Amino acid sequence: MIATLYQAIAPVSALWRREVIKFLRDRSRLLGAIVQPLGLWLLLGLGFQQTFQMPGDAVAGINYLEFLFPGIIALMILFTAIFSTISVVEERKSGFLQAAVAAPMSRTVLVLGNALGGTTLAVFQAALFLILLPVIGFSVSVQGLLLVLLASILMGLAFTALGFAIAWRMDTTRGFHAVMNLFLLPLWFLSGALFPAEGASPALAWLIHLNPVSYGVDLMRQGLYMPADAPLHLASIGVGLLISTVLAAVLIAWAVYTVRRPLFSDT
Amino acid sequence: MPGCVFGLLGPNGSGKTTLFRILTTLLAPDAGSVTVAGSNPQSDGHQVRAQLGAVYQDTALDDELTVEENLRFHGALYGLKPADLNKRIDELLARFSLTERRSSYVKSLSGGLQRRTDLCRGLLHRPAVLLLDEPTTGLDPAARHAFWSILLHIQKQENTTILLATHLMEEAERCDEIAIMDRGAVVTQGAPDDLTAAMGSDVLLLESDTPSALRDHIEAQFGVEAHVVGSLVQVTNGDIHHLMGSLYEAFGELIQSATIRKPTLEDVFMAHAGYHLEGGAARFTESTLQL
């Protein structure tokens, strides 16, 4: 019993450890992962500071830097999670993944190990970014912080799984980039991260409500204000958690299904 | 035969890699069935994969990790216990003279050392059958020699069965038995010495501008078997020395040069497949240029 359990866990943990070791060793990746979202946050936040006006009177005092903060965390998670899987495209063709799928383990292990690894990197970066909170005058409660981390983990799992499934189907990293940009940017633009649904045109507001990523961003926003009510939130915490969990489960299931496809499309 | 070294000799595209993919359960056969150590790769994938080790043309190592990290990673995929794995890694690294490199990044190693590390990886779980797909591609002769001498030493000690895919005569000659493959099928099979012995004591190679015509003449007048291979006519199984004189008298104007040699596996391949195994592509360009 213990032996079987070990045989199931050892490969997942080895895949996870590999992702983390490689990430920590690559200083440029580490630096880029922090500097890029920070730059984007300051650029957009300070740039739109005077232009941005909150819909409704109740929240007139909120500034754009503050509004944008949860969205930037979400952006960081989306990108780190997805692009941690880009190496799968190359490794599928090299001997590395051939050797991994020739090992006596289920291919589901590959999905889980990669998803946990990518999610760890994404959440780690989000946590680093959260250190900036006092700069914008936020003090977050412990349960609020836990909610933000939980939402980050769910979003990380969902998008590493999505990236893995797409990488498994792609023949070139160029193709992977193209497909991901097609998905990622609209998902983020229409997640209530950049502008709230309330102030947008009805069509856009509708899309924001349909976008499952919106509920992850919403959970982060609510976590930052806990125990007080967050301004302009979409749904209750329960609904947000439900949608985020279902999204992660569906995308992991899709990745598990995809990884059963043969490694070689040419033969 | 357990514990033997079995070679698949054939050019690229003859089906060696496809066979390996079927054996490692990565691909289903279009027709027919295979058994690995008593199990069917299609129905008992886990069982088969646990018994197999595989070393591919591209090494399966992660460049960004060290030698030891790579071995630990793959050992974990096979579910090896940390204590056993540590012992096995120490043992293999020592055997392959890699102990000093255990903390080196794989990307900093020479091609030969990377190949050896990859072989360690394939042997970690003491596989019953080790598949080697062109394992010495890109190595110089010295590194190739070192690779083989260590491998055969361990193979004897652990009684591993080796299935080798290669297009190199030099590697095929190290096998206990070989199957020569051409376009997805085995054309002949046997011990390398038996296969060459079956060609007779000598082989005659005649170069000609009109090799087909020359072969027809030879077969009609002398009743010996002859094969056209590119611009060559290969004659085997006869009193070659005696034959050569008579051939020159009869068709001297058709013959540009003649070579007599002891038969090699190259000759066996040529006789069965009708083209050169090594340098086949180069020969083809040459003859195209002549046109």
Side-chain angles (χ1 to χ4, degrees):
Chain A
M1 178 63 200
I2 289 168
T4 357
L5 198 67
Y6 177 79
Q7 281 184 341
I9 291 173
V12 176
S13 108
L15 285 157
W16 173 81
R17 205 169 332 122
R18 168 171 171 260
E19 292 289 328
V20 174
I21 290 177
K22 288 178 76 168
F23 177 79
L24 291 177
R25 235 167 236 173
D26 193 346
R27 291 214 189 105
S28 57
R29 231 172 119 191
L30 204 60
L31 196 69
I34 300 297
V35 171
Q36 204 179 17
L38 184 66
L40 196 66
W41 179 54
L42 293 176
L43 186 78
L44 290 176
L46 297 173
F48 285 108
Q49 188 80 283
Q50 301 304 319
T51 322
F52 183 79
Q53 201 190 348
M54 277 287 175
D57 296 332
V59 285
I62 189 171
N63 69 37
Y64 194 54
L65 263 185
E66 183 183 324
F67 175 80
L68 198 57
F69 194 83
I72 293 290
I73 295 179
L75 180 72
M76 211 155 57
I77 291 186
L78 289 184
F79 273 84
T80 312
I82 286 257
F83 287 106
S84 74
T85 60
I86 196 165
S87 54
V88 169
V89 181
E90 295 294 328
E91 286 166 357
R92 204 170 59 99
K93 286 186 280 184
S94 74
F96 185 80
L97 271 180
Q98 267 189 60
V101 296
M105 58 173 197
S106 152
R107 290 192 185 184
T108 304
V109 161
L110 268 183
V111 176
L112 296 182
N114 266 288
L116 289 178
T119 303
T120 305
L121 309 187
V123 173
F124 171 73
Q125 284 175 63
L128 278 186
F129 207 68
L130 285 170
I131 295 171
L132 292 174
L133 278 172
V135 178
I136 52 165
F138 261 118
S139 56
V140 189
S141 63
V142 175
Q143 76 260 42
L145 204 60
L146 289 177
L147 182 63
V148 174
L149 287 178
L150 182 60
S152 305
I153 291 170
L154 290 173
M155 195 182 275
L157 288 173
F159 283 87
T160 39
L162 176 71
F164 190 91
I166 290 173
W168 198 268
R169 289 159 187 265
M170 286 290 149
D171 285 329
T172 62
T173 49
R174 219 176 33 219
F176 182 83
H177 269 287
V179 171
M180 277 348 300
N181 285 332
L182 200 71
F183 267 105
L184 273 187
L185 290 175
L187 279 177
W188 185 70
F189 283 137
L190 294 171
S191 69
L194 270 175
F195 49 83
E198 275 89 339
S201 78
L204 287 186
W206 195 67
L207 285 173
I208 291 177
H209 280 276
L210 278 184
N211 179 0
V213 179
S214 308
Y215 299 88
V217 174
D218 198 46
L219 284 176
M220 292 174 192
R221 193 180 304 286
Q222 296 194 55
L224 293 178
Y225 291 91
M226 255 172 134
D229 251 1
L232 304 167
H233 71 258
L234 272 184
S236 69
I237 290 176
V239 170
L241 282 176
L242 181 70
I243 292 176
S244 301
T245 310
V246 169
L247 179 68
V250 166
L251 290 175
I252 288 174
W254 187 50
V256 167
Y257 168 77
T258 302
V259 81
R260 295 160 55 111
R261 284 161 64 116
L263 203 55
F264 310 100
S265 46
D266 51 312
T267 41
Chain B
M1 278 177 297
C4 83
V5 183
F6 190 98
L8 299 168
L9 178 67
N12 296 331
S14 59
K16 299 174 306 218
T17 302
T18 304
L19 174 62
F20 276 18
R21 286 175 181 174
I22 292 171
L23 292 176
T24 50
T25 76
L26 303 188
L27 211 63
D30 291 333
S33 71
V34 294
T35 335
V36 179
S39 309
N40 179 338
Q42 264 9 81
S43 52
D44 307 311
H46 251 61
Q47 192 79 32
V48 167
R49 292 199 297 265
Q51 305 256 26
L52 280 181
V55 174
Y56 306 96
Q57 272 178 63
D58 297 323
T59 61
L61 304 169
D62 190 325
D63 281 0
E64 315 270 323
L65 298 181
T66 67
V67 168
E68 187 177 351
E69 284 166 347
N70 265 292
L71 296 179
R72 279 186 192 293
F73 174 79
H74 285 278
L77 295 191
Y78 280 84
L80 302 180
K81 300 244 166 21
D84 298 342
L85 181 58
N86 284 341
K87 244 175 80 188
R88 182 66 171 161
I89 288 176
D90 289 345
E91 179 192 11
L92 285 173
L93 288 181
R95 196 75 66 65
F96 283 83
S97 317
L98 285 165
T99 307
E100 283 167 30
R101 301 303 194 113
R102 69 189 296 155
S103 305
S104 305
Y105 288 107
V106 166
K107 62 184 168 195
S108 73
L109 299 181
S110 68
L113 291 181
Q114 289 191 8
R115 289 278 169 191
R116 276 197 249 162
T117 308
D118 204 33
L119 186 55
C120 285
R121 175 194 61 72
L123 288 166
L124 273 177
H125 57 292
R126 301 174 197 273
V129 181
L130 180 66
L131 306 180
L132 301 172
D133 190 0
E134 308 273 2
T136 61
T137 304
L139 294 193
D140 60 59
R144 180 173 297 152
H145 184 79
F147 180 93
W148 273 102
S149 61
I150 305 171
L151 174 62
L152 291 179
H153 188 71
I154 295 188
Q155 184 257 338
K156 289 210 174 60
Q157 217 160 49
E158 303 190 350
N159 199 32
T160 316
T161 307
I162 292 181
L163 183 61
L164 165 77
T166 185
H167 67 279
L168 301 173
M169 297 301 160
E170 184 199 327
E171 282 187 346
E173 278 158 9
R174 295 175 186 274
C175 298
D176 299 318
E177 190 169 343
I178 60 170
I180 293 188
M181 294 186 68
D182 180 35
R183 281 162 277 193
V186 174
V187 290
T188 184
Q189 184 176 336
D193 288 345
D194 295 345
L195 289 177
T196 46
M199 307 290 294
S201 56
D202 293 286
V203 171
L204 172 62
L205 295 168
L206 301 168
E207 198 176 352
S208 169
D209 286 340
T210 53
S212 307
L214 181 59
R215 180 211 38 209
D216 294 344
H217 289 310
I218 293 174
E219 286 191 338
Q221 280 198 25
F222 293 91
V224 294
E225 207 183 322
H227 307 276
V228 174
V229 183
S231 61
L232 294 178
V233 176
Q234 182 197 40
V235 185
T236 59
N237 281 323
D239 183 357
I240 299 296
H241 291 273
H242 189 246
L243 195 62
M244 187 157 105
S246 325
L247 283 177
Y248 255 101
E249 269 170 38
F251 321 113
E253 74 281 5
L254 295 178
I255 301 170
Q256 306 218 303
S257 72
T259 313
I260 293 183
R261 67 180 185 204
K262 298 278 169 229
T264 62
L265 285 176
E266 164 99 59
D267 294 307
V268 178
F269 182 82
M270 279 159 58
H272 285 92
Y275 56 96
H276 295 272
L277 181 57
E278 282 177 278
R283 289 248 168 211
F284 181 70
T285 352
E286 217 172 90
S287 57
T288 330
L289 284 178
Q290 280 172 3
L291 298 171

